[in-house]
Amino acid sequence: MKHLKDELLERTKDSSISYSQMEEIYKHLRKIDLELKEYSIDKNNRMNSNGF
């Protein structure tokens, strides 16, 4: 997912994309950030419940 995030960030630097395309990219980036945070929290919770 981090690779996808990096790819989307690179697209935002392209001056030929429209405003609406930029908005869509940022929507996807927010979703990716939320999923990565949820994964990190879930991973930490599993480690804590296993006694780590």
Side-chain angles (χ1 to χ4, degrees):
M1 235 192 253
K2 289 182 182 183
H3 176 71
L4 176 60
K5 181 180 176 181
D6 292 341
E7 187 177 313
L8 288 171
L9 284 171
E10 281 301 312
R11 281 188 174 175
T12 62
K13 297 175 185 176
D14 184 353
S15 61
S16 66
I17 64 171
S18 69
Y19 181 79
S20 61
Q21 289 171 319
M22 182 87 73
E23 284 185 319
E24 285 299 313
I25 290 171
Y26 281 118
K27 284 180 190 177
H28 290 293
L29 286 169
R30 282 192 295 272
K31 287 180 184 179
I32 290 170
D33 279 341
L34 288 174
E35 288 183 31
L36 288 172
K37 285 178 186 176
E38 287 175 11
Y39 173 78
S40 177
I41 290 169
D42 184 50
K43 182 179 173 184
N44 288 336
N45 286 341
R46 280 185 279 140
M47 289 179 70
N48 289 336
S49 67
N50 290 331
F52 288 99

